[in-house]
């Protein structure tokens, strides 16, 4: 499928116009970034792995009735998706304390949280995606109160689904981030899961050993990121047959 002109380049993905106005082609890059792109590397194989893993998770969500932007995978690095009006929020669900909540509240990483916690960051790289209360979101019109209620409900259903899928392959879903978009269907506006779901946007720990199988491997220099993502894909049975063998990471700058 011929893709159209590039409309957006992010840190890990590029969006191109799709074959019709309601679609886009999402291209997964091999670039890994952390700390608002202060740390960057090219990790051979990452784009293909995330393309397959995001396809797997989005398809699973659609099978249980949670709508997503995913239409079909086109090739190793690209998928056809629905064009959405993205809500400028990172919707984060946490089951276990790690990362920024541990820092903010002085909680030991690995502490079980009393219940899944949903929080929101305002998507703005220049501001470092600050954590925002729901009050800001409705007051500034990023999403209505009604949409927020639906976003929380979607996020918790995604959490139940992903936690179960991971548990079945011996992985604990510590936390994850999703993004939500609006689509118009007839006379109605609907919220759907957009962007990607991959080990770039989750924390995944081996249940027995605690080994990290997510982007923290890169953020914290814990080993080979592509090996960690390959292990997740292998356990889930979604290893692409012809993913390039992870090579030596190349410094971007
Ligand atoms: P945090 O603990 O750094 O706030 O991250 C929470 C979750 O959100 C974790 O699974 C990683 C994911 N995440 C992203 O997907 N993108 C981001 O830019 C950040 C900061 C976190
Ligand atoms: N995605 C963000 C960045 O590039 C942060 C992160 O995932 O740690 O910088």
């Amino acid at each position: 499928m011929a893709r159209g002109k590039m409309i957006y380049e992010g840190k890990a993905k590029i969006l191109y116009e799709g074959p019709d106005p309601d679609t886009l082609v999402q291209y997964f890059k091999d670039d890994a970034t952390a700390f608002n792109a202060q740390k960057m590397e090219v990790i051979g194989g990452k784009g293909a792995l995330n393309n397959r893993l995001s396809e797997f998770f989005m398809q699973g969500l659609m099978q249980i009735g949670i709508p997503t932007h995913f239409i079909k995978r086109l090739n190793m690095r690209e998928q056809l998706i629905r064009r959405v009006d993205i809500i400028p929020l990172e919707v984060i669900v946490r089951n276990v304390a790690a990362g920024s909540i541990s820092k903010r509240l002085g909680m030991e990483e690995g502490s079980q949280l009393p219940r899944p916690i949903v929080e929101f960051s305002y998507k703005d790289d220049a501001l470092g995606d600050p954590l925002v209360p729901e009050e800001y979101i409705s007051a500034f019109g990023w999403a209505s109160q009604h949409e927020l209620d639906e976003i929380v409900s979607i996020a918790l259903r995604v959490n139940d689904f992903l936690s179960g899928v991971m548990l079945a392959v011996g992985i604990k879903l510590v936390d994850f981030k999703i993004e939500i978009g609006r689509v118009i269907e007839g006379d109605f506006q609907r919220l759907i899961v957009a962007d990607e779901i991959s080990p770039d946007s989750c924390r995944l720990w081996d249940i027995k050993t605690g080994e990290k199988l997510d982007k923290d491997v890169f953020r914290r220099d814990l080993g080979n990121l592509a090996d960690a993502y390959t292990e997740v894909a292998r356990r889930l049975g979604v290893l692409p047959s012809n993913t390039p063998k992870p090579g030596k990471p190349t410094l971007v700058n």
Side-chain angles (χ1 to χ4, degrees):
M1 180 183 300
R3 61 187 187 206
K5 73 170 198 286
M6 185 174 98
I7 60 160
Y8 173 81
E9 176 159 12
K11 289 180 288 229
K13 298 183 295 293
I14 305 174
L15 296 176
Y16 298 92
E17 284 178 342
D20 63 73
D22 296 338
T23 63
L24 296 174
V25 172
Q26 177 165 257
Y27 174 97
F28 287 77
K29 301 198 277 189
D30 280 341
D31 300 12
T33 68
F35 315 117
N36 209 1
Q38 289 174 55
K39 183 177 163 98
M40 286 175 93
E41 267 178 37
V42 176
I43 312 275
K46 181 174 93 79
L49 285 158
N50 281 354
N51 187 22
R52 290 301 286 251
L53 284 164
S54 201
E55 170 190 20
F56 175 79
F57 296 127
M58 296 284 183
Q59 275 181 334
L61 289 176
M62 293 191 290
Q63 274 163 15
I64 59 161
I66 301 175
T68 83
H69 72 168
F70 182 80
I71 301 173
K72 68 172 178 180
R73 189 167 55 80
L74 299 172
N75 53 49
M76 271 174 57
R77 284 184 182 276
E78 293 177 326
Q79 46 184 248
L80 187 67
I81 58 169
R82 294 178 69 179
R83 189 191 274 259
V84 303
D85 166 26
I86 203 88
I87 294 178
L89 297 172
E90 302 209 327
V91 182
I92 294 163
V93 183
R94 301 180 188 274
N95 298 303
V96 171
S100 65
I101 196 173
S102 292
K103 246 192 216 146
R104 193 177 313 117
L105 302 181
M107 290 175 94
E108 195 180 333
E109 286 208 320
S111 320
Q112 185 68 40
L113 296 169
R115 58 182 169 85
I117 292 176
V118 183
E119 65 181 44
F120 303 95
S121 293
Y122 179 53
K123 267 171 68 71
D124 185 319
D125 280 345
L127 298 175
D129 298 341
L131 185 70
V132 287
E134 290 195 21
E135 179 69 8
Y136 287 18
I137 297 169
S138 50
F140 294 123
W142 299 326
S144 69
Q145 190 57 52
H146 177 74
E147 285 178 323
L148 262 175
D149 294 344
E150 200 181 331
I151 290 170
V152 169
S153 155
I154 291 171
L156 291 173
R157 287 166 73 203
V158 173
N159 186 45
D160 284 345
F161 168 77
L162 286 181
S163 295
V165 167
M166 290 303 179
L167 188 62
V169 295
I171 293 173
K172 188 193 286 187
L173 177 67
V174 171
D175 57 31
F176 66 92
K177 182 266 299 188
I178 51 171
E179 296 185 24
I180 302 287
R182 301 183 182 97
V183 287
I184 304 288
E185 286 178 0
D187 292 338
F188 297 96
Q189 187 172 274
R190 195 174 187 208
L191 299 182
I192 70 176
V193 179
D195 189 54
E196 73 177 288
I197 301 178
S198 75
D200 268 12
S201 51
C202 301
R203 281 198 176 89
L204 305 170
W205 296 355
D206 181 87
I207 284 175
K208 281 206 194 109
T209 65
E211 185 190 357
K212 295 186 187 352
L213 298 169
D214 57 66
K215 205 163 97 177
D216 274 349
V217 170
F218 168 71
R219 293 190 189 97
R220 304 178 185 191
D221 294 320
L222 300 176
N224 185 311
L225 189 72
D227 285 351
Y229 288 19
T230 301
E231 176 61 13
V232 175
R234 187 191 65 75
R235 290 195 198 186
L236 294 169
V238 291
L239 248 194
S241 49
N242 51 351
T243 304
K245 269 236 170 305
K248 229 174 151 324
T250 321
L251 272 182
V252 168
N253 65 19

